[in-house]
Amino acid sequence: MSQKSIEKIIALSSDLRWQIGDDFHDNLAEGIYADASEIAKNSVISNNKKKRFRLDTKIDKIVTSKTWGFPIMFLILGVILWITIEGANYPSSMLANLLLNNFHPILKTLAASIGMPWWLDGFLIDGVYLAVAWVIAVMLPPMAIFFPLFTLLEDFGYLPRVAFNLDYLFKKSGAHGKQALTMSMGFGCNAAGVVATRIIDSPRERLIAIITNNFSLCNGRWPTQILIATIFIGAVVPASFSGIASLSAVIGIAILGIFFTFFVSWALSKTVLKGEVSTFNLELPPYRPPRFWKTVYTSLIDRTIIVLWRAIFFAAPAGAVIWLISNIYIGDLSIASWTINSLDGFGFLLGLNGVILLAYIVAIPANEIVIPTILMLTVMATGIAGGEGVGVMFELDSASETATILKAGGWTLLTAVNLMLFSLLHNPCSTTIYTIYKETKSVKWTVVASLLPVIMGFVITFLIAQIWRIVV
Amino acid sequence: MNTYNPVNALIIFVSISVLIYLIFRPAKGWFWLIKNSFIFNEKTAIEDILKQLYHFENSGKDANISSLTGVLKFKDSLVIEVVKLMTISKLIYFEGDVLKLTKSGRDYSLRIVRVHRLWEKYLAEKTGIDKLEWHDRAEFMEHKLSLEETNSLASQLGNPVYDPHGDPIPTNSGKIAKVKGVALSSLAVNSIGKITHIEDEPDIIYKQIIAENIHIGSQIRVVENNTKRIVFYSEGEEFKLAPIVAANLTVAILDPTVLDKEITLRLSSLQENETAKIVGISKESRGESRRRLLDLGFVKGTQISIDLMSPLRNPTAYLVKGTSIALRKDQASKILIKKD
Amino acid sequence: MENKVNSVCGSCSQYNIKGLKKLGVNISNFDFVVAIAGNPNTGKSTVFNALTGLRQHTGNWPGKTVVRAEGAFEYDGQKFKLVDLPGTYSLLSTSQDEEVARNFILFGKPDVTVIVVDASRLERNLNLVLQILEITNKAVLCLNLMDEANRNNIKIEIRTLARDLGIPVVPTSARFKEGIPELIQTINDVATGKIICKSYRIKNVNGNIDKAIKKLSDEIEKEIPTISNSRWIAFRLLEGDNRIINALRTGELV
């Protein structure tokens, strides 16, 4: 086989292609299907021509109907979220109690009994162990409830209908109907939401879904929102309304997140992503009864455990860093104090403070540890009584004690509002960033997805802070 | 901290934002203007002149200096200077007032046309860029690609014969297919034809054609033609165009006696409880989208009916070869059917 | 790992075919490579899981398996490595999934390609089957979801289908582990050469194009006499597939 004759073949193919014209692909595709239908005609005997299966048609008529389509959808998604939040409460506090209140002191005693030096004990048990324990306690229960439920719906075949119902709205913002599902998945966990974008087979719409997934308030951020809303928003209104006021504030933030999803999707599709290929097709598969235990098992293995494992992998070093920056001194001040002081000015411009910014920097690996870190740093920076010691994250059982500490740290209603906004609009956690990189294989889109929300967060909190100060 | 004042902070923020906008806004931003000013050099001017002369020659019109300066965006003095240079390098010559291409000039101009049309084809097939932007991007790229890059682009695209507007793409050796047809505006009432070309210049008229949802490759029948407007039927819909717009559509006239009488419609016009057979996919559906439709079984002869309408009426799920597949309205309008 | 999986499965009757060991992800020193291809949503991953004893997630939703999943089983003393390819409707387009599947079947030269199809949507699925058969004839058609087809009164004449395609056809319901032993047996028979498949060539190709393809594939065969899928190579060359052009130049196809 000579190189020359190979080149001749290639040249021949170019020439032939030009002679055949542009319909080659169409003709080939038609030819294959013509063969396919001849073969199928020979061997398939069907008593049930044309129409799809009757039960499927009946279900479809209801779940995509003008009247019932949307109510059924919101009801199902609402119930899933409610079961997740309500159902996770108990196991979460049990886990927290076990890992933080019982196990942590036992470990400390153990360390003391074998004569572990204080710095190693602090670094490992107060730093690494606490961060990991926190992440597990906050993250595991909701994910272990949310993902199996979602996967059951997926296996049944309902989710494609949701995409079908909502596609028109997503199309308006340049996105794909299936983004409704990756967005919902993001309410559980952004990293899982990013992985789920694989179902979107159009390159442009998939990137949009990946980049905007962070605007879905993930379950690592719900507790922060609820706590801050309870303390500060609930306090603005009369006591009897405080529950409703704080709940509406949290839901308002989540809805604002959905609004940003649409807005940013639209902006991306009109600017940086307009060159990416965009296609649409959505197969509505037949309904199949899910096999309950198998689904629960695979969703736990494939989604929950993998995400949890990655989160732990990233949280452990974060815990170590938190302990280290609080315990290593440069001159009179710890690294943490230095950083807080230098971030205070910028924090003030944003209506936040240095403690919050530092907490968000060290808590990039896991949003779950933001509040414990803020509390620890506030106690350290203000020097008030309370807390568990330098570099030891903690949380308090009662909201009012937490409020006392935060107010001592100089927090106002503005700080609270901006913290809630910043919690929505900041860079994705490192698990998500890593997942985005793995899914896109592109540094560029990973950087865009990481920086875009945090820049938006800076701009919006900045604007609110200035206007607030002018008006109030 | 002493100088802090929320009003000042806001003012500084707003002015920085405005500045960034002025520098980087699309097309007219200072950054782009400066960048582009480096691009307009002599080579660009030579190639643009060659291309224009080629178009003049093709449409059978004579070109002189003033008709050239009329269509080019360069300063008149630059055009005159470059024309002088080009006669020296024997790309063009004068016959009296009239400018003519030499053999090497024509070859060069064909290469430029080839890159331009290939790049439009590339944008249509391999990217998601909107069709309104194809022309400008190709205008830019035609001066950029080397011969080698052009050839590898062509083979990557499968050596296409026509660009997405229906213009023939010259081959590497300068072969070029013929476009058959006449301007739509010149068609008599009741004549039947097929749209073979949609001119993308000038921009304003092209935008109107696109807004009308007129598809290349579709069959038309003229029902009215006067100085005010041209009305024609195509794929079950009625279109009304001003003559100046219709002049930018090229139509190949078909012999009405050999055509079958059944009417081809767009899938988007199918009603629930109706069934139809697919006739084909419009040329207007391109690239990955078109391939995907073919792969999913939207091929000639396939039975199709509406399976489900979404609550907002778009998309619609169609039953094709035993499976329910949802398509958006704009996709459905590019699939042609015959109702049963 | 080997023993554990084996003992767990020893208790389920359908697995008790002689000499079967599910090896999970334990792949080393395999004797044969088996690719699993198919349309999305045909239960391809379920078949993969049933063969390997793995529990990869499967969703009722096209597009789950994006990365290539691998597993293995042992039958009759021979080790089979399984590669679960992404589900695709076709192999003619440019999407990343299709490239992975196409290139693996062409360049990975699997000993057997199992094509999983949905029995109740045979015509649609045959589109991909016929394309794969242009690349390789060492294939087995796994007619999956037979339970759904039966429920909807769709009957398929297995022997006619096998005759028309030239490859063995095995009806299965992978969800209920039905037909899996027969599938394994058939994979083994094709791999070891006990069953010899015929080549299927797409017939309904438009005259002009057919001529061009004939001309091109004759040239290719002249250059590379050992090639069995010159027609597919011709298809791809006419599509302008750079991967194939490069493969020709580097001699990868010999």
Side-chain angles (χ1 to χ4, degrees):
Chain A
M1 183 180 88
S2 72
Q3 212 51 253
K4 217 172 116 192
S5 43
I6 290 295
E7 289 308 320
K8 236 176 72 194
I9 291 176
I10 293 166
L12 175 67
S13 75
S14 293
D15 209 39
L16 286 171
R17 176 60 205 259
W18 195 77
Q19 286 171 24
I20 301 170
D22 291 344
D23 293 334
F24 172 67
H25 188 89
D26 288 36
N27 279 323
L28 190 55
E30 278 165 15
I32 298 170
Y33 262 114
D35 269 37
S37 77
E38 277 170 23
I39 294 173
K41 227 174 260 160
N42 274 342
S43 51
V44 178
I45 307 149
S46 161
N47 302 330
N48 161 343
K49 269 201 172 159
K50 287 177 196 163
K51 271 291 157 192
R52 287 198 303 140
F53 322 140
R54 294 193 44 211
L55 181 66
D56 275 32
T57 315
K58 269 186 192 155
I59 300 177
D60 269 341
K61 283 274 179 255
I62 299 169
V63 299
T64 65
S65 81
K66 246 183 175 171
T67 340
W68 297 108
F70 287 111
I72 290 177
M73 197 172 65
F74 289 125
L75 189 73
I76 291 179
L77 294 180
V79 166
I80 287 186
L81 275 183
W82 181 79
I83 294 178
T84 305
I85 293 171
E86 279 299 304
N89 255 339
Y90 179 70
S92 254
S93 59
M94 207 174 71
L95 269 178
N97 197 20
L98 187 75
L99 294 175
L100 303 172
N101 298 350
N102 294 336
F103 224 70
H104 183 237
I106 294 176
L107 280 178
K108 291 291 267 188
T109 330
L110 205 72
S113 72
I114 60 166
M116 200 184 263
W118 70 270
W119 51 267
L120 187 60
D121 158 273
F123 177 81
L124 287 179
I125 300 172
D126 294 336
V128 175
Y129 171 78
L130 266 190
V132 170
W134 232 294
V135 169
I136 294 177
V138 179
M139 198 165 171
L140 181 58
M143 292 214 311
I145 297 173
F146 182 79
F147 287 139
L149 287 176
F150 211 78
T151 312
L152 281 173
L153 275 189
E154 176 181 343
D155 284 6
F156 175 55
Y158 178 63
L159 296 190
R161 274 75 185 176
V162 173
F164 181 60
N165 286 347
L166 288 174
D167 181 67
Y168 188 69
L169 299 176
F170 280 89
K171 180 186 184 253
K172 292 242 154 185
S173 56
H176 195 295
K178 287 179 184 170
Q179 194 177 327
L181 308 167
T182 63
M183 196 176 92
S184 309
M185 192 77 106
F187 283 116
C189 168
N190 295 138
V194 169
V195 174
T197 60
R198 286 176 186 176
I199 58 175
I200 301 175
D201 56 2
S202 169
R204 185 198 294 171
E205 283 77 1
R206 177 159 185 230
L207 274 174
I208 290 177
I210 288 177
I211 295 172
T212 57
N213 197 273
N214 188 43
F215 297 116
S216 289
L217 205 58
C218 70
N219 80 44
R221 294 182 268 171
W222 283 100
T224 310
Q225 298 284 348
I226 294 169
L227 181 74
I228 301 298
T230 313
I231 295 174
F232 290 92
I233 313 282
V236 189
V237 293
S240 50
F241 293 110
S242 68
I244 290 184
S246 49
L247 183 67
S248 334
V250 175
I251 292 175
I253 293 281
I255 290 174
L256 191 67
I258 296 177
F259 165 77
F260 278 124
T261 301
F262 280 110
F263 174 72
V264 174
S265 297
W266 172 80
L268 286 171
S269 72
K270 287 278 172 283
T271 56
V272 287
L273 289 179
K274 69 180 172 186
E276 302 289 324
V277 173
S278 163
T279 62
F280 177 83
N281 66 73
L282 176 62
E283 188 183 331
L284 301 178
Y287 291 102
R288 288 180 186 140
R291 292 198 295 157
F292 188 81
W293 290 112
K294 192 172 168 288
T295 304
V296 169
Y297 173 83
T298 50
S299 79
L300 280 178
I301 297 298
D302 277 11
R303 289 187 169 141
T304 315
I305 300 299
I306 285 179
V307 171
L308 185 72
W309 176 242
R310 274 195 202 160
I312 290 173
F313 181 77
F314 284 109
V321 168
I322 291 170
W323 189 84
L324 287 175
I325 58 168
S326 321
N327 283 285
I328 296 179
Y329 282 75
I330 300 173
D332 293 340
L333 290 169
S334 64
I335 296 179
S337 308
W338 274 107
T339 329
I340 291 171
N341 289 345
S342 50
L343 287 175
D344 254 337
F346 185 55
F348 177 78
L349 268 182
L350 303 181
L352 300 167
N353 58 40
V355 167
I356 296 173
L357 290 180
L358 178 60
Y360 268 102
I361 293 170
V362 294
I364 286 176
N367 282 295
E368 286 80 358
I369 56 173
V370 164
I371 288 294
T373 310
I374 286 178
L375 287 175
M376 182 273 286
L377 291 174
T378 306
V379 168
M380 192 185 75
T382 52
I384 58 169
E388 308 268 331
V390 174
V392 186
M393 292 175 279
F394 65 94
E395 226 165 23
L396 296 162
D397 290 336
S398 86
S400 65
E401 283 174 58
T402 312
T404 321
I405 292 184
L406 292 179
K407 280 173 183 153
W411 285 46
T412 61
L413 186 56
L414 170 66
T415 324
V417 169
N418 274 0
L419 174 65
M420 287 174 77
L421 284 169
F422 194 68
S423 158
L424 175 70
L425 299 171
H426 69 86
N427 54 287
C429 67
S430 48
T431 316
T432 308
I433 296 177
Y434 175 66
T435 311
I436 292 174
Y437 178 71
K438 277 194 72 175
E439 292 296 318
T440 59
K441 299 264 185 327
S442 144
V443 177
K444 180 179 158 200
W445 297 124
T446 311
V447 170
V448 170
S450 310
L451 292 186
L452 184 76
V454 76
I455 291 171
M456 284 174 64
F458 285 153
V459 169
I460 286 174
T461 49
F462 170 82
L463 289 177
I464 291 196
Q466 311 318 313
I467 293 167
W468 187 291
R469 282 171 191 146
I470 294 169
V471 175
V472 180
Chain B
M1 260 323 74
N2 303 340
T3 55
Y4 172 77
N5 169 341
V7 179
N8 290 344
L10 268 185
I11 290 171
I12 293 170
F13 174 82
V14 169
S15 25
I16 292 175
S17 310
V18 169
L19 194 68
I20 290 176
Y21 172 75
L22 285 177
I23 295 176
F24 289 109
R25 75 180 147 153
K28 284 179 190 161
W30 298 337
F31 177 78
W32 312 116
L33 290 182
I34 293 169
K35 207 177 146 198
N36 285 345
S37 70
F38 282 106
I39 291 159
F40 288 128
N41 53 24
E42 210 167 75
K43 179 170 177 283
T44 318
I46 292 176
E47 294 181 347
D48 278 352
I49 291 172
L50 282 173
K51 202 176 60 170
Q52 290 305 336
L53 287 176
Y54 173 79
H55 289 318
F56 274 114
E57 197 179 74
N58 242 11
S59 55
K61 281 182 255 172
D62 283 343
N64 53 32
I65 293 282
S66 69
S67 55
L68 258 190
T69 51
V71 290
L72 288 168
K73 53 188 181 278
F74 303 106
K75 266 185 261 163
D76 294 0
S77 57
L78 181 76
V79 174
I80 292 163
E81 192 184 315
V82 172
V83 165
K84 212 176 281 168
L85 264 174
M86 289 165 76
T87 46
I88 295 168
S89 53
K90 297 224 166 63
L91 288 170
I92 51 177
Y93 64 95
F94 277 98
E95 255 183 32
D97 249 4
V98 179
L99 275 167
K100 294 266 180 183
L101 287 167
T102 64
K103 169 87 175 58
S104 65
R106 189 169 305 111
D107 287 350
Y108 194 162
S109 70
L110 273 174
R111 280 211 297 279
I112 306 300
V113 171
R114 173 172 157 85
V115 182
H116 182 101
R117 293 182 180 167
L118 271 176
W119 195 255
E120 287 192 338
K121 183 76 177 170
Y122 166 77
L123 292 176
E125 295 289 325
K126 305 276 177 181
T127 74
I129 302 280
D130 191 87
K131 52 183 157 191
L132 283 172
E133 288 185 35
W134 291 345
H135 181 76
D136 286 347
R137 283 170 184 259
E139 283 285 288
F140 175 73
M141 284 309 290
E142 66 190 13
H143 307 296
K144 292 277 147 197
L145 288 191
S146 70
L147 193 63
E148 229 166 73
E149 285 168 323
T150 313
N151 287 340
S152 93
L153 178 71
S155 81
Q156 195 198 332
L157 294 170
N159 295 310
V161 184
Y162 293 100
D163 82 354
H165 305 294
D167 284 317
I169 301 174
T171 63
N172 192 27
S173 51
K175 273 193 275 182
I176 187 159
K178 291 229 157 48
V179 189
K180 285 172 261 171
V182 293
L184 172 59
S185 49
S186 68
L187 280 190
V189 171
N190 269 332
S191 47
I192 292 177
K194 189 172 151 193
I195 299 176
T196 53
H197 176 240
I198 297 178
E199 180 52 49
D200 60 356
E201 272 182 312
D203 209 25
I204 308 166
I205 290 182
Y206 186 51
K207 271 187 187 153
Q208 281 185 50
I209 296 173
I210 294 197
E212 286 285 340
N213 249 324
I214 293 170
H215 296 165
I216 195 164
S218 46
Q219 196 178 309
I220 61 155
R221 186 167 61 88
V222 180
V223 291
E224 187 186 328
N225 187 352
N226 50 41
T227 48
K228 270 198 196 129
R229 62 178 196 174
I230 290 161
V231 183
F232 64 93
Y233 283 113
S234 174
E235 295 166 354
E237 335 243 319
E238 191 192 60
F239 298 90
K240 293 183 186 118
L241 293 180
I244 184 171
V245 178
N248 276 8
L249 294 169
T250 310
V251 177
I253 298 173
L254 301 172
D255 181 1
T257 53
V258 296
L259 291 172
D260 53 336
K261 293 284 175 280
E262 280 175 284
I263 313 160
T264 306
L265 300 169
R266 294 182 176 178
L267 177 58
S268 47
S269 69
L270 190 69
Q271 301 295 314
E272 274 183 287
N273 302 321
E274 286 180 336
T275 60
K277 276 212 173 58
I278 295 176
V279 174
I281 302 176
S282 160
K283 288 267 171 261
E284 212 53 48
S285 170
R286 302 184 173 94
E288 199 56 25
S289 295
R290 184 187 188 87
R291 281 157 183 258
R292 202 55 68 84
L293 288 176
L294 290 168
D295 291 346
L296 288 169
F298 290 88
V299 291
K300 202 192 281 172
T302 306
Q303 274 262 326
I304 190 164
S305 60
I306 290 184
D307 186 44
L308 282 174
M309 297 277 251
S310 70
L312 300 167
R313 292 294 172 253
N314 182 11
T316 303
Y318 296 95
L319 193 62
V320 184
K321 293 188 194 290
T323 302
S324 182
I325 292 167
L327 296 181
R328 289 173 174 171
K329 207 174 226 157
D330 58 317
Q331 291 175 296
S333 77
K334 289 168 192 160
I335 294 174
L336 304 174
I337 53 163
K338 272 179 187 164
K339 286 188 186 169
D340 290 338
Chain C
M1 177 79 194
E2 234 172 272
N3 288 333
K4 198 175 138 210
V5 174
N6 197 24
S7 66
V8 167
C9 288
S11 60
C12 6
S13 61
Q14 25 324 29
Y15 285 166
N16 265 341
I17 34 173
K18 201 184 91 223
L20 173 67
K21 261 190 205 169
K22 307 204 169 185
L23 300 177
V25 286
N26 199 350
I27 314 161
S28 54
N29 303 320
F30 47 84
D31 302 293
F32 298 109
V33 178
V34 180
I36 303 193
N39 278 31
N41 223 31
T42 51
K44 209 164 52 67
S45 297
T46 319
V47 172
F48 176 83
N49 289 349
L51 289 173
T52 56
L54 288 173
R55 290 184 170 130
Q56 220 191 62
H57 178 70
T58 59
N60 185 3
W61 183 243
K64 268 282 104 120
T65 326
V66 169
V67 278
R68 228 170 60 190
E70 303 193 346
F73 68 87
E74 191 177 323
Y75 179 75
D76 229 6
Q78 311 265 38
K79 279 192 183 176
F80 292 81
K81 175 173 131 177
L82 265 76
V83 178
D84 191 11
L85 300 174
T88 58
Y89 296 101
S90 157
L91 295 178
L92 295 172
S93 296
T94 45
S95 79
Q96 199 199 341
D97 286 4
E98 292 190 22
E99 247 160 67
V100 170
R102 186 168 64 215
N103 290 340
F104 188 81
I105 299 174
L106 186 59
F107 299 113
K109 297 203 171 76
D111 297 291
V112 184
T113 303
V114 177
I115 315 166
V116 183
V117 302
D118 178 346
S120 48
R121 293 175 183 74
L122 186 62
E123 185 187 341
R124 151 176 307 281
N125 283 244
L126 281 175
N127 177 42
L128 177 70
V129 176
L130 298 182
Q131 293 177 30
I132 292 175
L133 292 183
E134 283 280 351
I135 308 179
T136 172
N137 62 1
K138 296 188 87 178
V140 176
L141 190 76
C142 168
L143 203 53
N144 197 25
L145 300 169
M146 282 304 285
D147 50 317
E148 273 182 31
N150 287 334
R151 227 180 318 143
N152 296 293
N153 291 322
I154 294 170
K155 299 265 176 304
I156 293 171
E157 286 181 21
I158 307 291
R159 282 167 61 188
T160 316
L161 185 59
R163 194 199 57 213
D164 283 355
L165 292 173
I167 57 166
V169 176
V170 184
T172 62
S173 299
R175 267 158 66 91
F176 306 103
K177 304 274 188 304
E178 281 164 26
I180 298 299
E182 291 84 349
L183 181 61
I184 290 174
Q185 177 70 46
T186 315
I187 293 173
N188 181 64
D189 289 353
V190 172
T192 53
K194 263 187 225 158
I195 298 180
I196 311 264
C197 307
K198 275 194 303 194
S199 296
Y200 183 90
R201 291 293 173 258
I202 295 158
K203 301 181 192 77
N204 284 301
V205 184
N206 161 322
N208 259 344
I209 293 174
D210 201 37
K211 253 182 249 157
I213 290 168
K214 185 90 181 53
K215 198 168 170 190
L216 198 52
S217 67
D218 284 351
E219 286 299 313
I220 296 166
E221 273 168 32
K222 227 184 277 167
E223 251 349 277
I224 316 171
T226 51
I227 204 162
S228 63
N229 44 20
S230 61
R231 218 164 90 113
W232 175 261
I233 304 296
F235 287 163
R236 297 310 300 163
L237 283 179
L238 290 176
E239 288 268 8
D241 184 339
N242 276 329
R243 178 74 180 82
I244 298 284
I245 294 175
N246 284 338
L248 268 180
R249 285 190 176 134
T250 56
E252 206 179 332
L253 286 164
V254 178

